[in-house]
Amino acid sequence: QLRLVESGGGLVQPGGSLRLSCAASGSTVATYTVGWFRQVPGKERERVSCISGYGGYTNYADSVKGRFTITKDNSKNTVYMVMNNLKPEDTAVYYCAAEQFALSCGNYHYTEYGNWGQGTQVTVSS
């Protein structure tokens, strides 16, 4: 059973940066597609970034493209997401999730991911 633990959230001013970490245990994250999702109250959870099993493929939501970067360090069994030029609309609870999909970062609904972390709050405010 893959266990995921997020960290790195916090309060940051607009234009600032944060690095989120998603530490995996119980299995090797290299064999999983990993996505970062975010959710605000009253809205559906949305995927903001995704990285394939061995890190060779990434994709991003249009709202974060050019500002967020997802990477995977398989030696540390950890996935990261660096968030630059943060905006108030990036405020949300951020989750990492993992699954072994046939199509890596395909257009899978968040309910199709079977392994989730507990979430970390990111607040962008002056």
Side-chain angles (χ1 to χ4, degrees):
Q1 182 73 23
L2 185 69
R3 182 170 177 260
L4 303 172
V5 178
E6 300 98 335
S7 61
L11 173 64
V12 63
Q13 292 186 340
S17 298
L18 284 174
R19 187 180 78 159
L20 303 184
S21 299
C22 173
S25 61
S27 187
T28 175
V29 75
T31 63
Y32 288 79
T33 292
V34 177
W36 281 99
F37 292 76
R38 66 186 181 189
Q39 189 168 25
V40 297
K43 290 193 175 182
E44 187 167 274
R45 198 168 292 191
E46 66 163 336
R47 193 179 78 184
V48 296
S49 67
C50 181
I51 189 164
S52 60
Y54 285 90
Y57 176 78
T58 59
N59 70 17
Y60 300 89
D62 288 343
S63 59
V64 307
K65 205 170 288 183
R67 300 189 296 123
F68 290 11
T69 303
I70 187 172
T71 57
K72 181 186 279 190
D73 186 338
N74 289 326
S75 68
K76 295 183 178 180
N77 221 25
T78 300
V79 175
Y80 304 95
M81 184 166 71
V82 173
M83 306 185 294
N84 293 321
N85 190 21
L86 283 161
K87 305 176 180 180
E89 52 263 41
D90 294 319
T91 296
V93 178
Y94 283 74
Y95 302 87
C96 63
E99 190 52 77
Q100 292 175 313
F101 293 121
L103 195 58
S104 192
C105 290
N107 191 24
Y108 297 101
H109 193 258
Y110 77 89
T111 56
E112 297 181 83
Y113 285 76
N115 304 277
W116 289 86
Q118 81 288 353
T120 185
Q121 176 70 46
V122 172
T123 302
V124 185
S125 175
S126 55

